[in-house]
Amino acid sequence: MKKTIIAISVLIVVGVLGFVAYSFLVSSKVPQAFIDKHNEVVALEKEAVQLSDLTSMPEMEALDEQMASEDYSGAFKSVDNALTRKKDASTKLNSIDKKLAELKSILGEITDSEIKTSAEKFIEIAKKENSAKISYNNLQIQMLEKLKTMVGILVKNSKTISAADEKMINDLGKEIDDLKNQITTVEKEVNNIQSQYKEAEKEFFGLAGLEIKK
């Protein structure tokens, strides 16, 4: 039974949200307001990836060991802390959506029609990319919530597990498996959109005479 719980705990997908931070150099072809707004998006992306990367969370690194040693109270706290981080990341991702809308509103200040069209293209792809990241993050939140429920059962009944609790744990395990499959699908979508974004971004930066600093 306990081996089953330990196995379930490692089902969490720890794919990294592939945020890449960029900064602009000032160009006469693009207004400073556009550059500043983009840099606000970049700052939010940095904060989001730091909050949402399960692979680097000390709580998640400790989880398997806590489960193996039957430290269920510690495991519960680890999952709860990870959830808090993921929900903070969700707030950042939603803020990015708003910033991208603000960035689009500044497009009218770009006088060169070719550059303006290119900027509009990369912003639209950025919005699609961020939407996919929001879905990815939300699925991971759902998975962590189910894991938290599962570990919570063990905290209250660490010595004896009733048949009803065991059934609930098994059902939660199946739901976690389903979420794992959904996460894998969305992760592929994120990676695909990121490839599109890189191409659109490269085109815009080239036309605008801006330099990407990584």
Side-chain angles (χ1 to χ4, degrees):
M1 176 62 208
K2 290 176 182 176
K3 289 183 179 179
T4 301
I5 301 302
I6 294 169
I8 290 172
S9 74
V10 299
L11 289 176
I12 296 178
V13 175
V14 293
V16 180
L17 294 176
F19 300 150
V20 182
Y22 300 112
S23 62
F24 284 110
L25 290 183
V26 177
S27 168
S28 59
K29 296 180 181 179
V30 178
Q32 186 64 44
F34 191 93
I35 294 170
D36 292 342
K37 187 61 64 177
H38 182 277
N39 285 341
E40 290 176 19
V41 173
V42 168
L44 284 169
E45 286 179 338
K46 279 184 172 181
E47 293 170 9
V49 72
Q50 288 170 356
L51 287 166
S52 65
D53 183 6
L54 289 177
T55 59
S56 65
M57 283 187 192
E59 294 90 351
M60 300 311 295
E61 292 174 359
L63 181 60
D64 282 342
E65 183 178 340
Q66 289 166 332
M67 293 296 290
S69 64
E70 300 181 16
D71 177 14
Y72 300 129
S73 293
F76 185 88
K77 184 176 181 181
S78 290
V79 176
D80 192 47
N81 288 343
L83 263 172
T84 298
R85 288 174 181 264
K86 294 294 286 185
K87 289 176 180 178
D88 286 345
S90 182
T91 299
K92 300 294 183 185
L93 290 168
N94 288 330
S95 294
I96 288 172
D97 260 357
K98 294 177 182 177
K99 293 295 182 184
L100 287 171
E102 292 170 6
L103 188 64
K104 186 174 181 178
S105 71
I106 307 174
L107 279 173
E109 297 181 27
I110 300 176
T111 55
D112 186 294
S113 60
E114 187 177 16
I115 294 175
K116 181 178 178 180
T117 299
S118 182
E120 186 171 15
K121 178 181 176 182
F122 99 76
I123 290 171
E124 286 304 312
I125 296 176
K127 288 168 64 178
K128 286 174 58 180
E129 179 189 40
N130 195 59
S131 178
K133 288 174 181 176
I134 288 172
S135 296
Y136 184 89
N137 193 63
N138 287 342
L139 286 169
Q140 288 195 325
I141 286 174
Q142 292 177 47
M143 182 174 285
L144 286 171
E145 286 174 338
K146 293 184 184 301
L147 183 60
K148 180 180 175 181
T149 300
M150 183 185 296
V151 177
I153 294 172
L154 294 173
V155 171
K156 289 186 285 187
N157 307 287
S158 59
K159 301 299 181 183
T160 57
I161 301 294
S162 69
D165 284 341
E166 185 167 355
K167 181 181 184 305
M168 183 176 290
I169 287 171
N170 288 334
D171 288 345
L172 285 166
K174 291 175 183 177
E175 292 172 11
I176 287 174
D177 276 339
D178 181 58
L179 284 166
K180 175 187 174 184
N181 292 332
Q182 292 180 55
I183 288 170
T184 299
T185 298
V186 176
E187 184 178 19
K188 291 177 181 178
E189 180 184 355
V190 170
N191 290 336
N192 181 52
I193 297 173
Q194 283 179 334
S195 296
Q196 297 174 34
Y197 178 78
K198 287 179 181 178
E199 288 300 315
E201 174 197 63
K202 182 179 178 181
E203 176 188 282
F204 168 73
F205 277 75
L207 290 171
L210 295 169
E211 181 181 334
I212 303 174
K213 284 192 174 182
K214 299 184 181 181

